[in-house]
Amino acid sequence: MKEELTPEEKKKKRNASIASIIGVCATIIATALFTQIQNNNRLDKELLKEVQNGNSLCPIVIDEFARIDSLSTPKSKTIMQHITAINTIKEDVNLDTVRKYIEPELLKNARNNPLLKSARKNKITIIYSFNDMNGNVFYEYIITPDMYK
């Protein structure tokens, strides 16, 4: 007989799932975004081109909990992923739980993923912006080049 999870356990499970999925997704998208960046003088132009290419693949449904809606370059040497937490509203999000499960996975991925070597070399800032199902931003996590160390 299957045990029923409490609402808090369901939230923790959903947040943990989002963290691991975003880590995997970051790897996939990073491959497309950074493999062609070779010249520092052309970095922003190439980054914008790769963001546009990545956006042609969006939205990317990761699983029942998360979807990548788009990518952007809000400023020089910065890439932003706009992610929707499906079937979630801002008021129901426990930010402590999100920070506990998502931040370490995203940072670990930025530091260790060989596919992000070019991003580290070119000192790219990565921003993950999480929206609820109504489009309200409930969380942003910024990984700066200083954090790669």
Side-chain angles (χ1 to χ4, degrees), residues 14 85-94 131-134 136 138:
R14 179 178 51 223
I86 301 169
N87 297 323
T88 301
I89 58 172
K90 182 178 182 176
E91 293 77 18
D92 289 344
V93 176
N94 180 331
N131 302 308
D132 70 5
M133 64 188 221
N134 298 318
N136 300 311
F138 66 84

Side-chain angles (χ1 to χ4, degrees), residues 1-142:
M1 184 171 175
K2 190 174 179 181
E3 246 183 75
E4 185 68 25
L5 297 176
T6 68
E8 186 61 29
E9 289 170 329
K10 287 180 184 179
K11 284 181 190 178
K12 285 180 182 179
K13 184 177 178 182
R14 179 178 51 223
N15 289 338
S17 175
I18 289 172
S20 59
I21 289 163
I22 296 305
V24 170
C25 187
T27 302
I28 294 167
I29 290 179
T31 301
L33 294 175
F34 300 116
T35 54
Q36 297 179 12
I37 298 173
Q38 298 176 14
N39 185 333
N40 247 356
N41 296 331
R42 295 176 30 196
L43 181 61
D44 285 333
K45 184 178 178 180
E46 289 295 320
L47 190 58
L48 179 60
K49 181 180 174 183
E50 293 306 319
V51 164
Q52 291 169 339
N53 289 339
N55 279 331
S56 70
L57 302 173
C58 290
I60 301 170
V61 176
I62 304 306
D63 68 2
E64 65 206 80
F65 301 116
R67 175 184 71 231
I68 297 177
D69 296 314
S70 65
L71 308 169
S72 64
T73 55
K75 61 183 180 179
S76 180
K77 296 177 78 171
T78 302
I79 186 165
M80 181 179 235
Q81 283 189 25
H82 304 273
I83 302 156
T84 294
I86 301 169
N87 297 323
T88 301
I89 58 172
K90 182 178 182 176
E91 293 77 18
D92 289 344
V93 176
N94 180 331
L95 291 180
D96 290 334
T97 302
V98 171
R99 286 182 191 103
K100 180 179 178 181
Y101 291 103
I102 292 178
E103 285 183 11
E105 288 300 314
L106 294 176
L107 186 55
K108 179 180 171 186
N109 186 58
R111 286 180 174 161
N112 301 316
N113 190 321
L115 298 174
L116 294 178
K117 182 178 180 181
S118 180
R120 291 187 295 269
K121 177 184 169 194
N122 290 298
K123 298 181 179 173
I124 301 293
T125 296
I126 304 169
I127 302 171
Y128 297 91
S129 179
F130 294 87
N131 302 308
D132 70 5
M133 64 188 221
N134 298 318
N136 300 311
V137 175
F138 66 84
Y139 181 68
E140 281 190 359
Y141 184 57
I142 300 171

